[in-house]
Amino acid sequence: RLFTGDAPAPKANRRKAIVAQKRKAEAVEGTMAGQVARAAAAPIQCCRLTECLFETGIGTLLFARGSGSGQLVVGAFLLDTFCIGIKDIVLRPMAAAQLDSYLDMLSAATLMAPVDPSYARKLLRDLVQWSGSLGFKPHADFAAAERLFGDVDPQACETTFKFGQGGKPLYMAGPSESPPLVRHRMDQLSTQLGSDGFDYIVPVHEAAE
């Protein structure tokens, strides 16, 4: 039987495909998504929430998993329970020894209290659903960051959360929000709820327009 020089090609192509898949898997493992996936099965090291979140409407949820003596993945969720929902997310790897310093930095601005992980996850999901009903999407990294909770069951929490203030959404324009964004959000709320369906705190020049 005669063999041409092209015969080994299928085998070579398979080897190349295997090598490519391995490199792709290694690349994913090195990304934040890969780190979150690994950490999601690790022990929970911290779950804290701004104590006065439902009084002020703005606060932070901090959730960390990983080895107590090694590397952690920490998710910090900036929450607006009065209107916008999940405004920002910081997802980062951190040495376990750095966690206390990070908590001290957050606690310098506001008191943080321990909460059950099921409470935290239910809060996030319920807030996303409620703010979504007003037309606001959560921060773009929410889906990736929420995977950090792993097998934490939100249904284990029986708390019923009440969002808004005084029975209405209260839109508080942040200092980094541009005038066009403020106007867009005001228009969005007016369309969804009517002019009397929400309250707002915005710069005077924005409220007047």
Side-chain angles (χ1 to χ4, degrees):
R1 181 181 296 180
L2 297 177
F3 293 92
T4 69
D6 296 332
K11 187 174 181 179
N13 288 339
R14 286 196 298 271
R15 283 199 300 268
K16 288 180 181 179
I18 291 171
V19 170
Q21 288 176 351
K22 183 177 179 182
R23 287 176 177 171
K24 184 177 180 181
E26 288 173 347
V28 170
E29 284 293 306
T31 65
M32 180 54 68
Q35 294 179 50
V36 168
R38 291 194 301 274
I44 296 170
Q45 300 297 334
C46 179
C47 187
R48 297 195 184 186
L49 181 68
T50 298
E51 276 194 355
C52 57
L53 173 64
F54 291 97
E55 286 75 40
T56 62
I58 297 290
T60 301
L61 170 65
L62 186 75
F63 186 72
R65 298 188 88 140
S67 169
S69 58
Q71 191 79 359
L72 308 176
V73 175
V74 178
F77 302 79
L78 178 62
L79 311 181
D80 175 358
T81 61
F82 281 175
C83 188
I84 303 298
I86 300 178
K87 297 186 70 173
D88 197 10
I89 293 175
V90 176
L91 194 62
R92 57 177 290 190
M94 183 181 298
Q98 294 178 292
L99 182 58
D100 286 342
S101 297
Y102 192 54
L103 280 170
D104 288 343
M105 180 188 71
L106 291 176
S107 298
T110 179
L111 293 176
M112 304 282 290
V115 294
D116 190 271
S118 63
Y119 176 101
R121 193 171 202 177
K122 185 174 188 292
L123 170 61
L124 290 177
R125 289 189 175 182
D126 286 3
L127 182 56
V128 166
Q129 184 177 12
W130 178 78
S131 59
S133 71
L134 304 177
F136 297 107
K137 295 181 179 180
H139 187 272
D141 292 335
F142 174 69
E146 206 244 353
R147 294 191 185 101
L148 187 59
F149 283 86
D151 61 358
V152 172
D153 184 7
Q155 295 183 358
C157 172
E158 298 181 354
T159 302
T160 299
F161 299 105
K162 293 183 178 181
F163 303 118
Q165 187 186 58
K168 292 182 180 181
L170 169 60
Y171 172 48
M172 299 180 292
S176 64
E177 295 181 25
S178 66
L181 178 59
V182 172
R183 288 193 294 273
H184 171 74
R185 288 178 167 173
M186 291 281 287
D187 291 343
Q188 178 177 313
L189 288 165
S190 294
T191 300
Q192 290 281 96
L193 305 170
S195 59
D196 296 327
F198 68 100
D199 296 319
Y200 56 88
I201 299 175
V202 299
V204 174
H205 64 277
E206 292 295 334
E209 293 183 5

